[in-house]
Amino acid sequence: MHVHRFEKLWIGLSLFLIAAFIGIVLFGFTVMDLKVPGIEEGRQVDPTTVLSDEKFSKPGVRKISDDHYEVYMIAQQFIFRPGSTQPLTIPANTKITFHMTAPDVMHGFEVPGSGLNATIIPGQIATFSTRFPEAKTYGIICHQYCGAAHHNMQGEIEVVPPSEFDESNLISQ
Amino acid sequence: MSTESAPSEASAPEADSERTKEISLDEFEPYGTLAVTGSYFVLLLVLYALLYFVEFAAHAPHIIE
């Protein structure tokens, strides 16, 4: 079959484009060491009883070490606990590990303008770790349609300088 | 130019066929199409890089593990 040289060029560029897309993603996850949210492997929770789970019955911030805190968060119709009725307060420049689950339907967790984005599925615990580089207020929105008031499901993360972080609000282990 | 030698409406199709030139596939060179497709290709690559490296990967805070 005879192929015109312009068409050969276009076919070549198309293949290059596919290779470039794959290459950029591989570059991101190897050289740039990007991470995506995961689920806690081997740990499933029963959505009907998760509200009485040891950690999820008292959602909030727990201290693991001076440089590491963990947040247990419940996403439910139509609030984040903590986050919606009162802001989630955490220290800046500190490793924060989120553990999130839902007792009712699927929800989303997104901090707009950041790389933090996870899907919260009943029965699973979505988890990731991050560091908030600066002390400021971030928003949280639900990005999975979860019911009639989905558009009102939002929260706030208040990041404070580590020196101003009030540890009296921590959940005791 | 006399009016006699000017092509009349009746002889126009004949004159068109005289101007028609058959070329082979390789002689057809659509540089305009190549330019449009090429610009679109470059735009696609630039916007993809912008989306990935700026919108997706550069916004702190991001997931570290």
Side-chain angles (χ1 to χ4, degrees), chain B residues 2-65:
Chain B
S2 70
T3 52
E4 284 170 19
S5 64
S8 66
E9 280 189 24
S11 63
E14 195 185 330
D16 272 352
S17 68
E18 279 168 14
R19 283 199 292 270
T20 304
K21 183 179 153 198
E22 295 241 344
I23 56 168
S24 70
L25 181 61
D26 283 329
E27 285 171 305
F28 176 59
E29 292 172 334
Y31 281 107
T33 310
L34 181 67
V36 171
T37 315
S39 337
Y40 179 65
F41 181 84
V42 171
L43 188 70
L44 199 64
L45 270 185
V46 169
L47 291 183
Y48 186 86
L50 199 68
L51 189 74
Y52 190 86
F53 292 109
V54 178
E55 295 291 324
F56 172 64
H59 276 167
H62 50 84
I63 296 172
I64 54 174
E65 65 176 56

Side-chain angles (χ1 to χ4, degrees), chain A residues 60-170:
Chain A
V61 187
R62 290 171 169 81
K63 184 173 185 172
I64 295 177
S65 70
D66 282 343
D67 188 46
H68 191 187
Y69 292 80
E70 61 179 359
V71 176
Y72 277 81
M73 182 185 275
I74 296 273
Q76 63 185 73
Q77 289 172 324
F78 297 95
I79 55 169
F80 295 98
R81 290 194 294 134
S84 290
T85 48
Q86 77 240 29
L88 166 65
T89 306
I90 47 177
N93 281 317
T94 307
K95 184 177 171 186
I96 310 285
T97 301
F98 283 84
H99 306 270
M100 299 173 292
T101 194
D104 42 30
V105 298
M106 192 153 93
H107 294 278
F109 173 94
E110 183 183 356
V111 178
S114 81
L116 306 182
N117 186 327
T119 300
I120 307 171
I121 301 170
Q124 296 184 341
I125 301 171
T127 184
F128 62 81
S129 296
T130 186
R131 267 174 205 276
F132 288 84
E134 52 179 326
K136 68 174 214 182
T137 302
Y138 294 85
I140 312 171
I141 54 167
C142 174
H143 63 61
Q144 288 282 352
Y145 181 74
C146 59
H150 161 69
H151 60 285
N152 284 329
M153 185 164 169
Q154 56 183 300
E156 245 178 32
I157 300 176
E158 200 180 315
V159 182
V160 298
S163 56
E164 294 173 22
F165 183 61
D166 181 8
E167 298 211 341
S168 64
N169 291 324
L170 292 179

